């Protein structure tokens, strides 16, 4: 039995897309990818019905739609075969993020630009909630050629893993964060936050030595990798820096002789205001670093130093994997851009 139908039986569940259309979409994807060749015989309606756990009417409707599109042909008493024609549909990509942050927008825009004109990319959000995460995936199973997912703040529960396993590993790409259950089976473009944050700060250690205390300002409003805390702590301890991990910043005032690494831009602005109110000069009396760049940080307060996970590179690499039909597992190094604030 053709692998396409076996995969369909295992993966296509819970979607709100009609079953016949799910089967149509699955076959179109495999035809376009070359997994089904011209002249290849499809299972009979009875065989496909049994293999995919679908009614005969559902399979017959799917085959009729494919015949209408010209991608399959029927021969009396012999069956259904892949024709030499193509449905000429664009490659459709499902792109799932927790929220539309500046960092995620940079990744998405770079991905779309690198993917090219023959690709349609639809972006969805799940607001960092597991139920929304699963519902969004389930509601769009079978509608896309590839699924690009950033599983931020999604725990590896049985429910979440079961949901993701409905997607063929050949069509799934993780960005920024992966899951242990998929480490060796799916493509991903990640950043090792624990190692990278320590490494990039070590490269610029001379700029930190003029300050007495380093502060990492956490947030509940934006996603961040928990390994960031470990990497920050490792850098400080290995270089004998005094350090603090602060839970938010709104009620705090910056202190002279301190460096603040902010994750949330709200905290960044609060720190700038606090420094200005105390006539503290950024880069001299107090240091400021922001996690990830944006168009305004280069000019804000004379220039804010940043540590970046290179979102544009992450997006481009993911698009290149799809265009080249590669299943790679890539680590992207962080970078630090020095500006006036440090």
């Amino acid at each position: 039995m053709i692998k396409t139908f076996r995969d369909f039986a295992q993966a296509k569940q819970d979607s709100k897309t009609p079953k016949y259309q799910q089967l149509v979409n699955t076959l179109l994807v495999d035809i376009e990818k070359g997994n089904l060749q011209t002249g290849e015989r499809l299972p009979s309606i009875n065989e496909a019905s049994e293999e995919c756990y679908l009614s005969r009417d559902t399979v017959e409707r799917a085959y009729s739609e494919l015949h209408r599109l010209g991608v399959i042909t029927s021969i009396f008493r012999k069956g259904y075969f892949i024709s030499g024609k193509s449905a000429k549909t664009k490659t459709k990509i499902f792109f799932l993020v927790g929220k539309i942050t500046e960092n995620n927008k940079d990744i998405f825009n770079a991905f779309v630009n690198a993917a090219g004109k023959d690709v349609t990319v639809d972006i969805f959000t799940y607001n960092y909630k597991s139920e929304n995460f699963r519902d969004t995936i389930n509601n769009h199973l079978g509608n896309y050629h590839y699924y690009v997912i950033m599983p931020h703040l999604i725990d590896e529960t049985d429910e979440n893993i079961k949901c993701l396993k409905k997607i063929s590993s050949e069509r799934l790409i993780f960005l920024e964060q992966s899951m242990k259950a998929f480490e060796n089976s799916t493509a991903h473009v990640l950043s090792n936050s624990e190692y990278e944050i320590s490494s990039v700060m070590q490269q610029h250690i001379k700029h930190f030595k003029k300050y007495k205390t380093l502060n990492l300002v956490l947030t509940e409003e934006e996603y961040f990798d928990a390994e960031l805390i470990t990497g920050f702590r490792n850098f400080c301890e290995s270089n004998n820096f005094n350090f603090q991990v602060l839970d938010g910043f709104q009620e705090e005032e910056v202190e002279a002789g301190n460096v603040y690494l902010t994750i949330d831009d709200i905290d960044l602005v609060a720190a700038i205001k606090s420094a200005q109110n105390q006539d503290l000069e950024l880069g001299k009396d107090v240091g400021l670093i922001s996690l990830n760049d944006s168009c305004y940080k280069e000019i804000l307060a004379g220039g804010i130093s940043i540590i970046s996970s290179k979102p544009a590179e992450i997006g481009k690499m993911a698009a290149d994997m799809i265009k080249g039909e590669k299943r790679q597992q890539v680590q992207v190094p962080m970078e630090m851009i020095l500006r006036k604030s440090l």
Side-chain angles (χ1 to χ4, degrees):
M1 186 64 69
I2 293 175
K3 182 177 182 295
T4 299
F5 289 83
R6 189 180 304 113
D7 289 345
F8 179 91
Q10 294 173 350
K12 308 304 173 193
Q13 303 171 22
D14 301 331
S15 175
K16 292 182 179 179
T17 303
K19 292 292 184 181
Y20 88 91
Q21 188 62 52
Q22 291 182 45
L23 183 55
V24 168
N25 293 341
T26 299
L27 287 165
L28 286 175
V29 168
D30 277 1
I31 290 169
E32 291 168 11
K33 291 179 68 175
N35 295 337
L36 297 175
Q37 302 295 323
T38 299
E40 188 168 350
R41 182 183 179 278
L42 294 177
S44 69
I45 290 175
N46 285 336
E47 289 171 336
S49 174
E50 182 177 347
E51 183 72 20
C52 298
Y53 306 106
L54 298 173
S55 70
R56 290 187 77 263
D57 288 345
T58 298
V59 177
E60 187 171 8
R61 187 175 180 185
Y63 279 15
S64 295
E65 176 64 13
L66 291 165
H67 191 275
R68 185 187 69 80
L69 292 171
V71 296
I72 69 171
T73 186
S74 61
I75 300 176
F76 183 64
R77 293 186 182 278
K78 290 188 177 181
Y80 294 90
F81 298 84
I82 304 298
S83 73
K85 297 181 180 179
S86 169
K88 295 183 179 179
T89 58
K90 285 189 173 184
T91 298
K92 295 181 64 179
I93 299 174
F94 171 96
F95 201 103
L96 183 61
V97 302
K99 287 184 178 180
I100 306 294
T101 63
E102 287 295 327
N103 185 66
N104 291 348
K105 282 196 291 186
D106 288 344
I107 292 174
F108 177 76
N109 289 336
F111 179 88
V112 171
N113 290 336
K117 296 180 180 179
D118 294 329
V119 172
T120 298
V121 188
D122 295 329
I123 189 168
F124 302 88
T125 63
Y126 58 91
N127 203 32
Y128 301 138
K129 295 180 180 179
S130 289
E131 184 177 357
N132 293 348
F133 179 82
R134 294 191 300 271
D135 286 347
T136 305
I137 292 172
N138 285 328
N139 290 341
H140 295 89
L141 286 172
N143 295 338
Y144 292 87
H145 298 82
Y146 293 95
Y147 293 77
V148 180
I149 295 176
M150 302 170 70
H152 294 158
L153 300 181
I154 297 299
D155 295 328
E156 292 197 47
T157 63
D158 290 342
E159 280 186 302
N160 292 334
I161 291 173
K162 182 179 178 182
C163 174
L164 286 165
K165 284 188 174 180
K166 295 174 185 177
I167 304 169
S168 168
S169 61
E170 296 178 354
R171 300 177 188 173
L172 177 61
I173 298 178
F174 288 116
L175 299 188
E176 287 209 312
Q177 179 179 322
S178 184
M179 292 185 172
K180 290 183 179 179
F182 300 90
E183 280 182 349
N184 299 317
S185 60
T186 61
H188 58 238
V189 185
L190 312 177
S191 179
N192 184 341
S193 296
E194 179 179 340
Y195 168 77
E196 291 295 339
I197 191 75
S198 178
S199 175
V200 77
M201 291 177 75
Q202 190 68 43
Q203 293 170 28
H204 300 278
I205 189 171
K206 67 178 182 180
H207 297 281
F208 294 99
K209 286 186 174 180
K210 60 184 178 181
Y211 300 100
K212 64 181 182 181
T213 303
L214 278 59
N215 301 273
L216 175 61
V217 185
L218 303 183
T219 177
E220 294 182 355
E221 300 301 321
E222 297 291 344
Y223 163 79
F224 66 92
D225 191 336
E227 291 182 350
L228 192 73
I229 302 173
T230 305
F232 174 80
R233 181 181 289 113
N234 289 343
F235 168 76
C236 293
E237 290 179 346
S238 63
N239 291 286
N240 296 315
F241 282 113
N242 294 323
F243 70 95
Q244 299 181 91
V245 177
L246 304 177
D247 187 15
F249 189 79
Q250 285 84 344
E251 304 301 324
E252 300 287 339
E253 279 196 348
V254 300
E255 297 181 7
N258 280 241
V259 178
Y260 297 87
L261 171 55
T262 63
I263 295 171
D264 191 339
D265 287 352
I266 293 176
D267 292 328
L268 172 64
V269 172
I272 293 172
K273 287 182 178 179
S274 178
Q276 290 174 341
N277 291 339
Q278 299 177 73
D279 293 323
L280 298 176
E281 183 179 347
L282 295 183
K284 182 178 179 182
D285 302 316
V286 65
L288 267 183
I289 310 170
S290 180
L291 187 66
N292 293 319
D293 208 359
S294 65
C295 57
Y296 61 84
K297 289 179 184 177
E298 186 175 357
I299 58 174
L300 181 65
I304 302 298
S305 297
I306 61 102
I307 294 177
S308 172
S309 57
K310 298 183 180 178
E313 190 169 333
I314 290 174
K316 183 179 183 303
M317 282 185 173
D320 288 344
M321 282 186 191
I322 290 175
K323 288 195 297 184
E325 296 189 359
K326 300 175 182 177
R327 293 174 60 198
Q328 298 173 315
Q329 297 170 344
V330 180
Q331 295 277 353
V332 178
M334 286 183 167
E335 66 176 346
M336 186 168 183
I337 299 177
L338 292 174
R339 294 171 182 149
K340 181 179 180 295
S341 68
L342 190 62

